[in-house]
Amino acid sequence: MSFDRWRVGLAAVYSRWRALERDWQSVAVGAAIVVATVALEIRVPW
Amino acid sequence: MSLRRFLPGLLVLCLGAVLARGVESVAGINHLLVAIAAGVVLANTVGVPDRLAPGIGTHKLWLGAGIVLMGASLTLETILEVGGVVLAIVIGVPAATLVAVELLSRTVAGLSDRLGSLLAAGSSVCGVSAIVAVAGAIHAREHQIAYAAATILLFDAVTIVVYPIVGELLSLSDVAFGVWAGVSMFSTGPVVAVGFAYSEAAGQWATMTKLARNALIGLVVVAYASYYARSGTDTSEFSPRVLWDEFPKFVLGFLGLVALSSVGVFSSGQQASLENAYSWLFVLAFVGLGTEIRLAELRSTGAMPVLVVLTALVFASGLSLAAVTAFV
């Protein structure tokens, strides 16, 4: 049951993602990385 | 799920990026240039298999995301330091180049109006993106678009090699080199690659200058659509929405992060992480960018468009170099 909900949720996110223009997708990727770095304190190594 | 279609190509981009970093640490060759070379070798030897194409085709997404993140390592103060002069150069040089290419292609080279306009837009504003945007507005033919795009891509490949060499020979400062590359080279990917291959600061200035130049595309499309509609050679209908449609939206993400960085939202550790993140995104993007350089297609460009664009490049490059060395 819970797996199905995850799957439906992921499908909805993917559908939203595909509807975005590529420039906005770039902004979304950038925003996701900023959130991961600032809120979750994830360190990106070089 | 169709997401799986992207995985093989994405894996290749990641492998190329790691390879580029490895070569840099062993041989000391800049990783961005190695990444582009890896893509060129792949595309021009075995070719890009259909299975890899969707994933590799995402490279422009990573370039845009990298540019957005770059905003976190800049502040308004840094930009405004030489911003006024740079803005004047960013507007003046492309405008002069556009007029020069139009005159040259119509009066000297004898190219068709539309091909001349595509070459003018491509060489003055933002390479192939400008060609595609203007082509839609003036209803250019398929072969004119292909011809103009191949000519611009040819010079993208040439400038990636030549600019860093000239920059070193002239001992240009980081800011001067970045602004010079950003104002006079054609497509965004090669500008970012060449800038960061020169130095971190040069890369940031090259990217900012190129973004400002790219933002002019909406105006150029509007101007061409109006011109061809008025001259009676086209029935394109212009709406102000074109300005927004053609505007590179990731610039807004970039500016948003510049604003956050300027008010001190990010700690130095977070900024370092974001810088590392955009460096990785750029390497990924440049492996993909390299796969778009097809030597066989470049050989098919005609002599006259090549001469017109070469003249435009020398003109824009000389003019911007003179302005940059005098005022920046």
Side-chain angles (χ1 to χ4, degrees):
Chain A
M1 186 69 178
S2 139
F3 177 73
D4 277 348
R5 276 172 58 185
W6 268 100
R7 220 174 56 172
V8 170
L10 273 178
V13 170
Y14 184 59
S15 158
R16 282 268 174 111
W17 168 261
R18 288 192 63 181
L20 283 176
E21 212 180 300
R22 193 183 61 218
D23 279 359
W24 287 121
Q25 289 181 341
S26 290
V27 175
V29 171
I33 294 173
V34 170
V35 168
T37 308
V38 176
L40 308 176
E41 289 291 336
I42 290 173
R43 292 279 168 260
V44 181
W46 178 238
Chain B
M1 203 163 180
S2 60
L3 204 58
R4 282 196 193 132
R5 289 190 308 127
F6 295 96
L7 289 179
L10 284 174
L11 190 64
V12 168
L13 291 184
C14 292
L15 286 175
V18 172
L19 174 81
R21 289 294 322 278
V23 170
E24 184 184 43
S25 59
V26 174
I29 306 168
N30 184 278
H31 62 279
L32 297 178
L33 299 181
V34 176
I36 293 174
V40 172
V41 170
L42 172 70
N44 293 279
T45 52
V46 292
V48 178
D50 291 345
R51 273 190 70 208
L52 303 182
I56 289 180
T58 59
H59 65 90
K60 286 182 180 163
L61 168 69
W62 311 124
L63 178 66
I67 291 173
V68 169
L69 287 185
M70 211 188 79
S73 59
L74 296 165
T75 59
L76 280 173
E77 200 182 16
T78 320
I79 298 169
L80 293 177
E81 243 171 65
V82 286
V85 176
V86 172
L87 192 63
I89 297 172
V90 165
I91 294 170
V93 173
T97 309
L98 189 134
V99 173
V101 177
E102 280 287 355
L103 289 174
L104 190 66
S105 57
R106 289 171 193 231
T107 56
V108 181
L111 299 176
S112 70
D113 287 1
R114 282 183 172 74
L115 180 57
S117 298
L118 294 182
L119 292 175
S123 50
S124 63
V125 190
C126 54
V128 175
S129 318
I131 290 172
V132 173
V134 169
I138 67 172
H139 293 176
R141 306 239 162 113
E142 285 284 320
H143 73 273
Q144 292 171 326
I145 301 169
Y147 226 52
T151 310
I152 293 297
L153 287 173
L154 173 70
F155 283 97
D156 280 345
V158 171
T159 49
I160 283 172
V161 178
V162 171
Y163 264 63
I165 297 171
V166 176
E168 291 289 348
L169 283 176
L170 298 177
S171 304
L172 292 178
S173 70
D174 293 338
V175 178
F177 181 83
V179 173
W180 176 51
V183 166
S184 58
M185 283 176 66
F186 297 151
S187 301
T188 306
V191 167
V192 178
V194 159
F196 279 98
Y198 197 77
S199 74
E200 186 77 15
Q204 292 177 340
W205 275 102
T207 310
M208 280 191 291
T209 314
K210 189 69 178 70
L211 289 183
R213 193 172 143 213
N214 288 356
L216 300 175
I217 184 59
L219 291 175
V220 172
V221 169
V222 168
Y224 271 119
S226 307
Y227 170 77
Y228 277 89
R230 275 186 202 166
S231 66
T233 54
D234 205 339
T235 54
S236 308
E237 281 192 17
F238 162 70
S239 81
R241 197 183 156 79
V242 173
L243 275 176
W244 171 247
D245 286 344
E246 300 303 335
F247 185 80
K249 278 82 173 181
F250 58 78
V251 171
L252 300 176
F254 168 82
L255 291 175
L257 284 191
V258 170
L260 289 176
S261 168
S262 302
V263 294
V265 167
F266 305 117
S267 69
S268 57
Q270 289 165 344
Q271 256 174 339
S273 271
L274 292 172
E275 281 175 21
N276 292 342
Y278 80 65
S279 298
W280 278 114
L281 289 170
F282 284 156
V283 197
L284 284 184
F286 293 143
V287 177
L289 174 76
T291 63
E292 292 209 341
I293 300 176
R294 307 289 169 91
L295 300 177
E297 285 173 24
L298 297 184
R299 277 197 289 268
S300 69
T301 52
M304 200 48 92
V306 167
L307 277 177
V308 169
V309 175
L310 175 63
T311 311
L313 178 64
V314 172
F315 175 77
S317 193
L319 188 63
S320 53
L321 192 56
V324 159
T325 45
F327 301 114
V328 177

